[in-house]
Coordinates of all heavy atoms in Angstrom, one line a residue:
M244 N 99.4 -26.8 -157.9 CA 98.1 -26.3 -157.6 C 97.1 -27.4 -157.1 O 96.4 -27.0 -156.1 CB 97.5 -25.7 -158.9 CG 96.2 -25.1 -158.8 SD 96.2 -23.7 -157.7 CE 95.2 -22.6 -158.6
P245 N 97.1 -28.6 -157.6 CA 96.2 -29.6 -157.0 C 96.5 -29.9 -155.6 O 95.6 -30.2 -154.8 CB 96.4 -30.8 -157.9 CG 97.0 -30.3 -159.2 CD 97.8 -29.1 -158.8
L246 N 97.8 -29.9 -155.2 CA 98.2 -30.2 -153.8 C 97.6 -29.1 -152.9 O 97.1 -29.4 -151.8 CB 99.7 -30.3 -153.7 CG 100.2 -30.6 -152.3 CD1 99.7 -32.0 -151.9 CD2 101.7 -30.6 -152.3
G247 N 97.6 -27.9 -153.3 CA 97.0 -26.8 -152.5 C 95.5 -26.9 -152.3 O 95.0 -26.7 -151.3
L248 N 94.8 -27.4 -153.4 CA 93.4 -27.6 -153.3 C 93.1 -28.7 -152.4 O 92.1 -28.7 -151.6 CB 92.8 -27.8 -154.7 CG 92.7 -26.6 -155.6 CD1 92.2 -27.0 -157.0 CD2 91.8 -25.5 -155.0
W249 N 93.9 -29.8 -152.5 CA 93.6 -30.9 -151.6 C 93.9 -30.5 -150.1 O 93.1 -30.9 -149.2 CB 94.5 -32.1 -152.0 CG 94.1 -32.9 -153.1 CD1 94.5 -32.8 -154.4 CD2 93.0 -33.8 -153.2 NE1 93.8 -33.7 -155.2 CE2 92.9 -34.3 -154.5 CE3 92.1 -34.3 -152.2 CZ2 91.9 -35.3 -154.8 CZ3 91.2 -35.3 -152.6 CH2 91.1 -35.7 -153.9
T250 N 94.9 -29.8 -149.9 CA 95.2 -29.3 -148.5 C 94.1 -28.4 -148.0 O 93.6 -28.5 -146.9 CB 96.5 -28.6 -148.5 OG1 97.5 -29.4 -149.1 CG2 96.9 -28.2 -147.1
L251 N 93.7 -27.5 -148.9 CA 92.6 -26.6 -148.5 C 91.3 -27.3 -148.2 O 90.6 -27.1 -147.2 CB 92.4 -25.5 -149.6 CG 91.3 -24.5 -149.3 CD1 91.6 -23.7 -148.0 CD2 91.0 -23.6 -150.5
S252 N 90.9 -28.3 -149.0 CA 89.7 -29.0 -148.8 C 89.8 -29.9 -147.6 O 88.8 -30.1 -146.8 CB 89.3 -29.9 -150.1 OG 90.3 -30.8 -150.3
A253 N 91.0 -30.5 -147.3 CA 91.2 -31.3 -146.1 C 91.0 -30.4 -144.9 O 90.4 -30.8 -143.9 CB 92.6 -31.9 -146.1
L254 N 91.6 -29.2 -144.9 CA 91.4 -28.3 -143.8 C 90.0 -27.8 -143.5 O 89.5 -27.8 -142.4 CB 92.3 -27.0 -144.0 CG 93.8 -27.2 -143.9 CD1 94.6 -26.0 -144.3 CD2 94.2 -27.7 -142.5
V255 N 89.3 -27.6 -144.6 CA 87.9 -27.2 -144.5 C 87.0 -28.4 -143.9 O 86.2 -28.2 -143.0 CB 87.3 -26.7 -145.9 CG1 85.8 -26.6 -145.8 CG2 87.9 -25.4 -146.3
C256 N 87.3 -29.6 -144.4 CA 86.6 -30.7 -143.9 C 86.9 -31.0 -142.4 O 86.1 -31.3 -141.6 CB 86.9 -32.0 -144.7 SG 86.2 -32.0 -146.4
G257 N 88.2 -30.8 -142.1 CA 88.6 -31.0 -140.7 C 87.9 -30.0 -139.8 O 87.5 -30.3 -138.7
Y258 N 87.8 -28.7 -140.3 CA 87.2 -27.7 -139.5 C 85.7 -28.1 -139.2 O 85.2 -28.0 -138.1 CB 87.2 -26.3 -140.2 CG 86.4 -25.3 -139.6 CD1 86.8 -24.6 -138.5 CD2 85.1 -25.0 -140.2 CE1 86.0 -23.6 -137.9 CE2 84.3 -24.0 -139.6 CZ 84.8 -23.3 -138.5 OH 84.0 -22.3 -137.9
F259 N 85.0 -28.5 -140.2 CA 83.6 -28.9 -140.1 C 83.4 -30.1 -139.2 O 82.5 -30.2 -138.4 CB 82.9 -29.1 -141.4 CG 82.6 -27.8 -142.1 CD1 83.2 -27.5 -143.3 CD2 81.7 -26.9 -141.5 CE1 82.9 -26.3 -144.0 CE2 81.4 -25.7 -142.2 CZ 82.0 -25.4 -143.4
I260 N 84.4 -31.0 -139.2 CA 84.3 -32.2 -138.4 C 84.5 -31.8 -136.9 O 83.8 -32.3 -136.0 CB 85.3 -33.3 -138.8 CG1 84.9 -33.9 -140.2 CG2 85.5 -34.4 -137.8 CD1 85.9 -34.8 -140.8
V261 N 85.5 -31.0 -136.7 CA 85.7 -30.5 -135.3 C 84.5 -29.7 -134.8 O 84.1 -29.9 -133.6 CB 87.0 -29.6 -135.2 CG1 87.1 -28.9 -133.9 CG2 88.2 -30.5 -135.5
Q262 N 83.9 -28.9 -135.6 CA 82.8 -28.1 -135.1 C 81.6 -29.0 -134.9 O 80.8 -28.8 -134.0 CB 82.4 -27.1 -136.2 CG 83.4 -25.9 -136.2 CD 83.5 -25.2 -134.9 OE1 82.5 -24.9 -134.3 NE2 84.7 -24.9 -134.5
A263 N 81.4 -30.1 -135.7 CA 80.3 -31.0 -135.5 C 80.5 -31.8 -134.2 O 79.5 -32.1 -133.6 CB 80.3 -32.0 -136.7
E264 N 81.7 -32.0 -133.7 CA 81.9 -32.7 -132.5 C 81.8 -31.7 -131.3 O 81.2 -32.0 -130.3 CB 83.3 -33.4 -132.5 CG 83.7 -34.1 -131.2 CD 82.7 -35.2 -130.8 OE1 82.2 -35.8 -131.7 OE2 82.6 -35.4 -129.6
S265 N 82.5 -30.6 -131.3 CA 82.7 -29.8 -130.1 C 82.2 -28.4 -130.3 O 82.5 -27.5 -129.4 CB 84.1 -29.8 -129.7 OG 84.9 -29.2 -130.7
G266 N 81.5 -28.0 -131.3 CA 81.0 -26.7 -131.5 C 79.8 -26.4 -130.6 O 79.3 -27.2 -129.8
N267 N 79.2 -25.2 -130.8 CA 78.1 -24.7 -130.0 C 76.9 -25.6 -130.2 O 76.0 -25.8 -129.3 CB 77.7 -23.3 -130.3 CG 78.7 -22.3 -129.8 OD1 79.5 -22.7 -128.9 ND2 78.8 -21.1 -130.3
R268 N 76.7 -26.2 -131.4 CA 75.6 -27.1 -131.7 C 76.1 -28.5 -132.0 O 75.4 -29.2 -132.7 CB 74.8 -26.5 -132.9 CG 74.2 -25.2 -132.5 CD 73.4 -24.6 -133.7 NE 72.7 -23.4 -133.3 CZ 73.1 -22.2 -133.5 NH1 74.3 -22.0 -134.1 NH2 72.4 -21.1 -133.2
G269 N 77.2 -28.8 -131.5 CA 77.8 -30.1 -131.8 C 77.3 -31.2 -130.9 O 76.4 -31.1 -130.1
L270 N 78.0 -32.4 -131.0 CA 77.6 -33.6 -130.3 C 77.7 -33.4 -128.8 O 76.9 -33.9 -128.0 CB 78.3 -34.8 -130.8 CG 78.0 -35.2 -132.2 CD1 78.9 -36.3 -132.7 CD2 76.6 -35.5 -132.4
E271 N 78.8 -32.7 -128.3 CA 79.0 -32.5 -126.9 C 78.0 -31.6 -126.3 O 77.5 -31.8 -125.2 CB 80.4 -31.9 -126.7 CG 81.6 -32.8 -126.9 CD 82.9 -32.2 -126.7 OE1 83.0 -31.1 -126.1 OE2 83.9 -32.8 -127.1
A272 N 77.6 -30.6 -127.1 CA 76.5 -29.7 -126.6 C 75.2 -30.5 -126.5 O 74.4 -30.3 -125.6 CB 76.3 -28.5 -127.6
K273 N 75.0 -31.4 -127.5 CA 73.7 -32.2 -127.4 C 73.7 -33.1 -126.2 O 72.7 -33.2 -125.5 CB 73.7 -33.0 -128.7 CG 72.4 -33.9 -128.8 CD 72.4 -34.6 -130.1 CE 71.1 -35.5 -130.2 NZ 71.1 -36.2 -131.5
R274 N 74.8 -33.7 -125.9 CA 74.9 -34.5 -124.6 C 74.7 -33.7 -123.4 O 73.9 -34.1 -122.5 CB 76.3 -35.2 -124.6 CG 76.3 -36.5 -125.3 CD 77.7 -37.2 -125.1 NE 78.5 -36.4 -125.9 CZ 79.4 -36.7 -126.9 NH1 79.7 -37.7 -127.0 NH2 80.0 -36.1 -127.7
A275 N 75.2 -32.5 -123.3 CA 75.0 -31.6 -122.2 C 73.6 -31.2 -122.1 O 73.0 -31.2 -120.9 CB 75.9 -30.4 -122.3
L276 N 72.9 -30.9 -123.2 CA 71.5 -30.6 -123.1 C 70.6 -31.8 -122.7 O 69.7 -31.6 -122.0 CB 71.0 -30.1 -124.5 CG 71.5 -28.7 -124.9 CD1 71.1 -28.3 -126.3 CD2 71.0 -27.6 -123.9
K277 N 71.0 -33.0 -123.1 CA 70.3 -34.2 -122.7 C 70.4 -34.4 -121.2 O 69.4 -34.7 -120.5 CB 70.7 -35.4 -123.4 CG 70.2 -35.5 -124.8 CD 70.6 -36.8 -125.5 CE 70.0 -37.0 -126.9 NZ 70.2 -38.3 -127.5
I278 N 71.6 -34.2 -120.7 CA 71.8 -34.3 -119.2 C 71.0 -33.3 -118.5 O 70.3 -33.6 -117.4 CB 73.3 -34.2 -118.9 CG1 74.0 -35.4 -119.4 CG2 73.5 -34.0 -117.4 CD1 75.5 -35.3 -119.4
K279 N 71.0 -32.0 -118.9 CA 70.2 -31.0 -118.3 C 68.7 -31.2 -118.4 O 68.0 -31.0 -117.4 CB 70.5 -29.6 -119.0 CG 69.9 -28.4 -118.3 CD 70.4 -27.1 -118.9 CE 69.8 -26.0 -118.2 NZ 70.2 -24.7 -118.7
A280 N 68.3 -31.7 -119.5 CA 66.8 -32.1 -119.7 C 66.4 -33.2 -118.7 O 65.4 -33.2 -118.1 CB 66.5 -32.5 -121.1
F281 N 67.3 -34.2 -118.5 CA 67.0 -35.3 -117.6 C 66.9 -34.7 -116.2 O 66.0 -35.1 -115.4 CB 68.1 -36.4 -117.7 CG 67.9 -37.5 -116.8 CD1 66.9 -38.5 -117.0 CD2 68.7 -37.6 -115.6 CE1 66.7 -39.5 -116.2 CE2 68.5 -38.7 -114.8 CZ 67.5 -39.6 -115.0
A282 N 67.9 -33.9 -115.8 CA 67.8 -33.3 -114.4 C 66.6 -32.5 -114.2 O 65.9 -32.5 -113.2 CB 69.1 -32.4 -114.2
L283 N 66.2 -31.7 -115.2 CA 64.9 -30.9 -115.1 C 63.7 -31.8 -115.0 O 62.7 -31.5 -114.3 CB 64.8 -29.9 -116.3 CG 65.8 -28.8 -116.3 CD1 65.8 -28.0 -117.5 CD2 65.6 -27.9 -115.0
N284 N 63.7 -32.9 -115.8 CA 62.6 -33.8 -115.7 C 62.5 -34.5 -114.3 O 61.4 -34.7 -113.8 CB 62.7 -34.9 -116.7 CG 62.2 -34.4 -118.1 OD1 61.3 -33.6 -118.2 ND2 62.7 -35.0 -119.1
Q285 N 63.6 -34.8 -113.7 CA 63.6 -35.3 -112.3 C 63.1 -34.3 -111.4 O 62.3 -34.6 -110.5 CB 65.1 -35.7 -111.9 CG 65.6 -36.8 -112.7 CD 64.9 -38.1 -112.4 OE1 64.4 -38.4 -111.3 NE2 64.7 -38.9 -113.4
E286 N 63.5 -33.0 -111.5 CA 63.0 -31.9 -110.6 C 61.5 -31.7 -110.8 O 60.8 -31.5 -109.9 CB 63.8 -30.6 -111.0 CG 63.4 -29.5 -110.0 CD 64.2 -28.2 -110.4 OE1 65.2 -28.3 -111.1 OE2 63.8 -27.2 -109.8
L287 N 61.1 -31.8 -112.1 CA 59.6 -31.7 -112.3 C 58.8 -32.8 -111.7 O 57.8 -32.5 -111.1 CB 59.4 -31.7 -113.9 CG 57.9 -31.6 -114.3 CD1 57.3 -30.3 -113.9 CD2 57.8 -31.8 -115.8
S288 N 59.3 -34.0 -111.7 CA 58.7 -35.1 -111.1 C 58.6 -34.9 -109.6 O 57.5 -35.1 -108.9 CB 59.4 -36.4 -111.4 OG 59.4 -36.7 -112.7
A289 N 59.7 -34.4 -109.0 CA 59.7 -34.1 -107.5 C 58.7 -33.0 -107.2 O 58.0 -33.2 -106.2 CB 61.1 -33.8 -107.1
V290 N 58.6 -32.0 -108.0 CA 57.7 -30.9 -107.7 C 56.2 -31.4 -107.9 O 55.4 -31.0 -107.1 CB 58.0 -29.7 -108.6 CG1 56.9 -28.6 -108.6 CG2 59.4 -29.1 -108.2
K291 N 56.0 -32.2 -108.9 CA 54.6 -32.7 -109.1 C 54.2 -33.6 -107.9 O 53.1 -33.5 -107.4 CB 54.5 -33.5 -110.3 CG 54.4 -32.7 -111.6 CD 54.3 -33.6 -112.8 CE 54.1 -32.7 -114.1 NZ 53.9 -33.6 -115.3
A292 N 55.1 -34.4 -107.3 CA 54.8 -35.2 -106.2 C 54.5 -34.3 -105.0 O 53.6 -34.6 -104.2 CB 56.0 -36.1 -105.9
E293 N 55.4 -33.3 -104.8 CA 55.1 -32.4 -103.7 C 53.8 -31.6 -103.8 O 53.1 -31.4 -102.8 CB 56.3 -31.3 -103.6 CG 56.2 -30.4 -102.4 CD 57.3 -29.4 -102.3 OE1 58.2 -29.5 -103.2 OE2 57.3 -28.6 -101.4
R294 N 53.5 -31.2 -105.0 CA 52.2 -30.6 -105.2 C 51.0 -31.5 -104.9 O 50.0 -31.1 -104.3 CB 52.1 -30.1 -106.7 CG 50.8 -29.4 -107.0 CD 50.6 -29.0 -108.4 NE 49.3 -28.5 -108.6 CZ 48.9 -27.6 -109.5 NH1 49.8 -27.1 -110.3 NH2 47.7 -27.2 -109.6
A295 N 51.1 -32.8 -105.3 CA 50.1 -33.7 -105.0 C 49.9 -33.9 -103.5 O 48.8 -34.0 -103.0 CB 50.4 -35.1 -105.6
V296 N 51.0 -33.9 -102.7 CA 50.9 -34.0 -101.3 C 50.2 -32.8 -100.7 O 49.3 -32.9 -99.9 CB 52.4 -34.1 -100.7 CG1 52.3 -33.9 -99.2 CG2 52.9 -35.5 -101.0
W297 N 50.6 -31.6 -101.2 CA 50.0 -30.4 -100.7 C 48.5 -30.3 -101.1 O 47.6 -29.8 -100.3 CB 50.7 -29.1 -101.2 CG 51.9 -28.8 -100.4 CD1 53.2 -29.1 -100.7 CD2 51.9 -28.3 -99.0 NE1 54.0 -28.7 -99.7 CE2 53.3 -28.3 -98.7 CE3 51.0 -27.9 -98.1 CZ2 53.7 -27.8 -97.4 CZ3 51.4 -27.5 -96.9 CH2 52.7 -27.4 -96.6
E298 N 48.1 -30.7 -102.3 CA 46.7 -30.7 -102.7 C 45.9 -31.7 -101.8 O 44.8 -31.4 -101.4 CB 46.6 -31.1 -104.2 CG 47.0 -30.0 -105.1 CD 46.9 -30.5 -106.6 OE1 46.7 -31.7 -106.8 OE2 47.0 -29.6 -107.4
H299 N 46.5 -32.8 -101.4 CA 45.9 -33.8 -100.5 C 45.7 -33.1 -99.2 O 44.6 -33.2 -98.6 CB 46.7 -35.0 -100.4 CG 46.1 -36.0 -99.4 ND1 45.0 -36.7 -99.6 CD2 46.6 -36.4 -98.2 CE1 44.7 -37.5 -98.6 NE2 45.7 -37.3 -97.7
R300 N 46.7 -32.4 -98.7 CA 46.6 -31.8 -97.4 C 45.6 -30.7 -97.4 O 44.8 -30.5 -96.4 CB 47.9 -31.3 -96.9 CG 48.9 -32.4 -96.6 CD 50.2 -31.8 -96.2 NE 50.1 -31.2 -94.8 CZ 51.1 -30.6 -94.2 NH1 52.3 -30.5 -94.8 NH2 50.9 -30.1 -93.0
V301 N 45.5 -29.9 -98.4 CA 44.5 -28.8 -98.5 C 43.1 -29.4 -98.7 O 42.2 -28.9 -98.1 CB 44.8 -27.9 -99.7 CG1 43.7 -27.0 -100.0 CG2 46.1 -27.1 -99.4
G302 N 43.0 -30.5 -99.4 CA 41.7 -31.2 -99.5 C 41.2 -31.7 -98.2 O 39.9 -31.7 -98.0
L303 N 42.1 -32.0 -97.3 CA 41.6 -32.5 -96.0 C 41.0 -31.3 -95.1 O 40.3 -31.6 -94.2 CB 42.8 -33.1 -95.2 CG 43.2 -34.5 -95.8 CD1 44.4 -35.0 -95.0 CD2 42.1 -35.5 -95.7
L304 N 41.4 -30.1 -95.5 CA 40.9 -28.9 -94.7 C 39.6 -28.3 -95.3 O 39.2 -27.3 -94.8 CB 42.0 -27.9 -94.7 CG 43.3 -28.3 -93.9 CD1 44.3 -27.2 -94.1 CD2 43.0 -28.6 -92.5
K305 N 39.0 -29.0 -96.2 CA 37.7 -28.4 -96.7 C 36.7 -28.4 -95.6 O 36.7 -29.2 -94.7 CB 37.3 -29.3 -97.9 CG 38.3 -29.2 -99.0 CD 37.6 -29.1 -100.3 CE 38.7 -29.1 -101.4 NZ 38.4 -28.4 -102.5
S306 N 35.7 -27.5 -95.8 CA 34.8 -27.2 -94.7 C 33.8 -28.4 -94.5 O 33.3 -28.6 -93.4 CB 33.9 -26.0 -95.0 OG 33.2 -26.2 -96.2
D307 N 33.6 -29.3 -95.5 CA 32.7 -30.4 -95.3 C 33.4 -31.6 -94.7 O 32.8 -32.6 -94.3 CB 32.1 -30.8 -96.7 CG 33.1 -31.2 -97.7 OD1 34.3 -30.8 -97.5 OD2 32.8 -31.9 -98.7
Q308 N 34.7 -31.5 -94.5 CA 35.5 -32.7 -94.0 C 36.1 -32.4 -92.6 O 36.4 -33.3 -91.9 CB 36.6 -33.0 -94.9 CG 36.1 -33.5 -96.2 CD 37.3 -33.8 -97.2 OE1 38.4 -33.5 -96.8 NE2 37.0 -34.3 -98.4
I309 N 36.2 -31.2 -92.2 CA 36.8 -30.9 -90.9 C 36.0 -29.8 -90.2 O 35.5 -28.9 -90.8 CB 38.3 -30.5 -91.0 CG1 39.0 -30.4 -89.7 CG2 38.4 -29.1 -91.7 CD1 40.5 -30.3 -89.8
D310 N 36.0 -29.9 -88.9 CA 35.3 -28.9 -88.1 C 36.1 -27.6 -88.1 O 37.3 -27.6 -88.0 CB 35.1 -29.4 -86.6 CG 34.2 -28.5 -85.8 OD1 33.3 -27.9 -86.3 OD2 34.5 -28.4 -84.6
R311 N 35.4 -26.5 -88.1 CA 36.0 -25.2 -88.2 C 36.8 -24.9 -86.9 O 37.9 -24.3 -86.9 CB 35.1 -24.1 -88.4 CG 34.5 -24.1 -89.8 CD 33.7 -22.8 -90.1 NE 33.1 -22.9 -91.4 CZ 33.7 -22.5 -92.6 NH1 34.9 -22.0 -92.5 NH2 33.0 -22.6 -93.7
D312 N 36.3 -25.4 -85.8 CA 37.0 -25.2 -84.5 C 38.4 -25.9 -84.5 O 39.4 -25.4 -84.0 CB 36.2 -25.6 -83.3 CG 35.0 -24.8 -83.1 OD1 35.1 -23.6 -83.4 OD2 34.0 -25.3 -82.6
L313 N 38.4 -27.1 -85.0 CA 39.6 -27.9 -85.2 C 40.6 -27.2 -86.1 O 41.8 -27.2 -85.8 CB 39.3 -29.3 -85.6 CG 38.5 -30.2 -84.7 CD1 38.2 -31.5 -85.4 CD2 39.3 -30.4 -83.4
L314 N 40.1 -26.7 -87.2 CA 40.9 -25.9 -88.1 C 41.5 -24.7 -87.4 O 42.7 -24.5 -87.6 CB 40.1 -25.5 -89.3 CG 40.9 -24.7 -90.4 CD1 42.0 -25.5 -90.9 CD2 39.9 -24.3 -91.5
E315 N 40.7 -24.0 -86.7 CA 41.2 -22.8 -86.0 C 42.3 -23.1 -85.0 O 43.3 -22.5 -84.9 CB 40.1 -22.0 -85.4 CG 40.5 -20.8 -84.6 CD 39.4 -20.1 -83.9 OE1 38.2 -20.5 -84.1 OE2 39.7 -19.1 -83.2
E316 N 42.0 -24.2 -84.2 CA 43.0 -24.7 -83.2 C 44.3 -25.1 -83.9 O 45.4 -24.7 -83.4 CB 42.4 -25.8 -82.5 CG 43.3 -26.4 -81.4 CD 42.7 -27.6 -80.7 OE1 41.4 -27.8 -80.7 OE2 43.5 -28.4 -80.2
R317 N 44.2 -25.8 -84.9 CA 45.5 -26.2 -85.6 C 46.2 -25.0 -86.2 O 47.4 -25.0 -86.1 CB 45.1 -27.2 -86.7 CG 46.3 -27.8 -87.4 CD 47.1 -28.7 -86.5 NE 48.3 -29.0 -87.1 CZ 49.5 -29.2 -86.5 NH1 49.5 -29.0 -85.2 NH2 50.6 -29.4 -87.2
A318 N 45.5 -24.1 -86.7 CA 46.1 -22.9 -87.3 C 46.8 -22.1 -86.2 O 48.0 -21.6 -86.4 CB 45.1 -22.0 -88.0
R319 N 46.2 -22.0 -85.0 CA 46.9 -21.3 -83.9 C 48.2 -22.0 -83.5 O 49.1 -21.4 -83.1 CB 45.9 -21.2 -82.7 CG 45.0 -20.0 -82.9 CD 44.4 -19.6 -81.6 NE 42.9 -19.9 -81.7 CZ 42.2 -20.3 -80.7 NH1 42.7 -20.5 -79.6 NH2 40.9 -20.5 -80.9
V320 N 48.1 -23.3 -83.4 CA 49.3 -24.1 -83.0 C 50.4 -23.9 -84.1 O 51.6 -23.6 -83.7 CB 49.0 -25.6 -82.9 CG1 50.2 -26.4 -82.8 CG2 48.1 -25.8 -81.7
V321 N 50.1 -23.9 -85.3 CA 51.1 -23.8 -86.4 C 51.7 -22.4 -86.4 O 52.9 -22.2 -86.5 CB 50.5 -24.2 -87.7 CG1 51.5 -23.8 -88.9 CG2 50.2 -25.7 -87.8
L322 N 50.8 -21.4 -86.3 CA 51.3 -20.0 -86.4 C 51.8 -19.5 -85.0 O 52.4 -18.4 -85.0 CB 50.1 -19.1 -86.8 CG 49.6 -19.4 -88.2 CD1 48.4 -18.6 -88.6 CD2 50.7 -19.2 -89.3
G323 N 51.6 -20.2 -84.0 CA 52.1 -19.7 -82.7 C 51.3 -18.6 -82.1 O 51.8 -17.7 -81.3
R324 N 50.0 -18.5 -82.4 CA 49.2 -17.4 -81.9 C 48.2 -17.9 -80.9 O 48.0 -19.1 -80.7 CB 48.3 -16.9 -83.1 CG 49.1 -16.4 -84.3 CD 49.6 -15.0 -84.0 NE 50.3 -14.5 -85.1 CZ 50.3 -13.2 -85.4 NH1 49.6 -12.4 -84.7 NH2 50.9 -12.8 -86.5
V325 N 47.7 -17.0 -80.1 CA 46.7 -17.4 -79.1 C 45.5 -16.5 -79.2 O 45.6 -15.4 -79.7 CB 47.3 -17.3 -77.6 CG1 48.4 -18.3 -77.4 CG2 47.8 -15.9 -77.3
H326 N 44.4 -17.0 -78.7 CA 43.1 -16.2 -78.8 C 43.1 -15.3 -77.5 O 43.7 -15.6 -76.5 CB 41.9 -17.2 -78.8 CG 40.7 -16.5 -79.1 ND1 39.8 -16.0 -78.2 CD2 40.1 -16.3 -80.3 CE1 38.8 -15.5 -78.8 NE2 38.9 -15.6 -80.1
A327 N 42.3 -14.3 -77.6 CA 42.3 -13.3 -76.5 C 41.7 -14.0 -75.2 O 42.1 -13.6 -74.1 CB 41.4 -12.1 -76.8
N328 N 40.9 -15.0 -75.3 CA 40.2 -15.7 -74.2 C 41.1 -16.9 -73.7 O 40.7 -17.5 -72.7 CB 38.8 -16.1 -74.5 CG 37.9 -14.9 -74.8 OD1 38.1 -13.8 -74.3 ND2 36.9 -15.2 -75.6
D329 N 42.2 -17.2 -74.3 CA 43.0 -18.3 -73.9 C 43.8 -18.0 -72.7 O 44.2 -16.8 -72.5 CB 43.9 -18.8 -75.1 CG 43.2 -19.4 -76.2 OD1 42.0 -19.8 -76.0 OD2 43.8 -19.6 -77.3
V330 N 44.0 -19.0 -71.8 CA 44.9 -18.8 -70.7 C 46.2 -19.5 -71.1 O 46.3 -20.6 -71.4 CB 44.3 -19.5 -69.4 CG1 45.3 -19.4 -68.3 CG2 43.0 -18.9 -69.1
V331 N 47.3 -18.7 -71.0 CA 48.6 -19.2 -71.3 C 49.4 -19.3 -70.1 O 49.6 -18.4 -69.3 CB 49.3 -18.2 -72.3 CG1 50.7 -18.6 -72.6 CG2 48.5 -17.9 -73.5
I332 N 50.0 -20.5 -69.9 CA 50.8 -20.8 -68.8 C 52.2 -21.1 -69.3 O 52.5 -22.0 -70.1 CB 50.3 -22.1 -68.0 CG1 48.9 -21.8 -67.5 CG2 51.3 -22.4 -66.9 CD1 48.3 -23.0 -66.9
I333 N 53.2 -20.3 -68.9 CA 54.6 -20.4 -69.4 C 55.3 -21.2 -68.3 O 55.5 -20.7 -67.2 CB 55.2 -19.0 -69.6 CG1 54.4 -18.3 -70.7 CG2 56.6 -19.2 -70.1 CD1 54.8 -16.9 -70.9
A334 N 55.8 -22.4 -68.7 CA 56.6 -23.2 -67.8 C 58.1 -22.7 -67.8 O 58.6 -22.5 -68.9 CB 56.5 -24.6 -68.2
P335 N 58.7 -22.7 -66.6 CA 60.1 -22.2 -66.6 C 61.1 -23.2 -67.2 O 61.0 -24.3 -67.3 CB 60.4 -22.0 -65.1 CG 59.3 -22.7 -64.4 CD 58.2 -22.9 -65.3

């Protein structure tokens, strides 16, 4: 009888040790989550930097800093549109 209890307790302890290492909430899962969190933090930093660049660019287009005619001209160039009074010359 005591040998059976020792065997059973060893198996139960072994099960919990294996689950602590490789289970859904084990050490391997914790490492994977840390790697994913690091990648997401890197992506967040990149997005914040891009947002700062765009906020700076939008800030340059405020009405007190740029002439409306220059803004309209730049918008037409970017969008590929022309005004009704513009003369368009298409080069071959």
Side-chain angles (χ1 to χ4, degrees):
M244 183 63 138
L246 182 62
L248 289 176
W249 281 103
T250 305
L251 180 64
S252 63
L254 289 174
V255 170
C256 287
Y258 172 78
F259 284 117
I260 290 171
V261 168
Q262 289 299 316
E264 176 63 31
S265 62
N267 289 341
R268 295 182 176 95
L270 295 174
E271 289 179 14
K273 183 178 179 180
R274 274 185 282 230
L276 286 175
K277 281 186 178 184
I278 291 170
K279 187 175 181 180
F281 180 75
L283 289 174
N284 280 331
Q285 294 294 325
E286 184 179 349
L287 178 64
S288 298
V290 169
K291 281 183 178 181
E293 184 179 356
R294 179 181 173 155
V296 168
W297 279 105
E298 284 179 350
H299 175 70
R300 290 181 72 183
V301 168
L303 292 176
L304 295 176
K305 297 218 182 213
S306 63
D307 59 341
Q308 295 177 356
I309 190 169
D310 187 34
R311 290 191 185 271
D312 292 330
L313 294 174
L314 178 61
E315 181 183 352
E316 179 183 338
R317 183 68 190 144
R319 278 198 246 145
V320 168
V321 170
L322 296 175
R324 303 282 183 145
V325 294
H326 193 268
N328 296 334
D329 287 347
V330 177
V331 178
I332 302 172
I333 301 174

